Amino acid sequence: MYVLLSPAIPAFKLTRSWLLIITCILTYKCSAQPKRQKTPANISIGIQQYFGSFLATAPKASFIRDSYSSFTELAVSQQTRGNKEWHQYNNYPEVGVGAIYGNLGSRQYLGKSFSVFPFVRFPLLQNNQFKLKFRAGTGFTWIEKPYDVVSNHKNTLIGSHLNHYIHLSVENELRLGKTVSLNAGLAFIHMSNAGAQLPNFGLNFPMVTGGFRYSFNEKIVRDTTVISPASRKQIRILLSAGRKQTPWVSSPHYTVGILGAEIGKLISPAQLVGGGLAVFHDPSLTKDPTGYTLTKNKSKNIQVGLQLLYERKLGRLSIPLQVGYYLLHPAKRGNLYQNVGLRYQLSKNLSAFYTLKVHAGKADYLHTGLAYTFFYQ
């Protein structure tokens, strides 16, 4: 509150009572707004360089390689403080987002790529000077030169500009001072469109990496409040759908529907294990490459799989990993399949997810859907 004393107002009109009130208000204003002690946000910026080469899993892959693969990454991350349950359960990880750009290893047929992905960096070993970390992230990547039947028919690896991006790395970090750290490690990067547009052999990059990280705050504040929620069992019903093109370029696209049921149990606040059944309706199973039906028995379009589940929980977000075995109508690539993806909890019982289904590392399709969870003790 501000008081303006004008010469036109006689000073005697300010009685002792008014002077006392003004003094109290001004004193309250000054004392009610002390200098706030802000908790450090523990924000850091990192620059990372990657060097390697894509794996030549397809016969023609070696032909289009004309250089080594190299990427430069800019990442912004934040050290969690433990003010949320999942921070403590996962040993105070870092969360962030990275942007990575570079040469794919075939300037003529693949060109450049640009990827954006959120990530979580988990500490494995650490002391005051050294840290060993594992980083996992997923997002999307744009590839400059996908397959084109006229202008780029020798690129038999990637058939679309927009692709899925998976990032895994192990990083050794050495602290040089209060705010600067150097790191080196190994990384694995995967890019593919999950079979939505052929060709889709995918790009897999084993790489060596090195860089530095600058932290804006020296001190890391951690909330060590003990949180021990009751362990709960659960049953989950899942419904999802995906889109795939098979088996060759210019083949028809098919919509796959999946109905699943899981039963799981928390073995720790951050880890859930369980198993279940999944029923897949895949119209491509009874079609030849021209789209004509090979058999009139529509039951051949149905696959049934038995699945084992491990799920890592990061608050509302979780990372499910599944290994399945076909009990009915196995795929041409064998009886085993795998699922990896992300789930996000929309409410106590409802969650949304997307999952990549693969056979021995070969992407089949990406499917998205909703899950409803029943809890019981």
Side-chain angles (χ1 to χ4, degrees), residues 232 316 345-350 373 375:
R232 291 193 292 184
R316 287 181 173 266
Q345 186 178 346
L346 302 172
S347 66
K348 178 182 177 180
N349 301 98
L350 187 65
T373 304
F375 298 97

Side-chain angles (χ1 to χ4, degrees), residues 214-229:
Y214 180 86
S215 176
F216 290 94
N217 297 293
E218 172 192 355
K219 188 177 180 180
I220 297 178
V221 178
R222 289 181 174 177
D223 183 353
T224 57
T225 303
V226 177
I227 306 172
S228 55

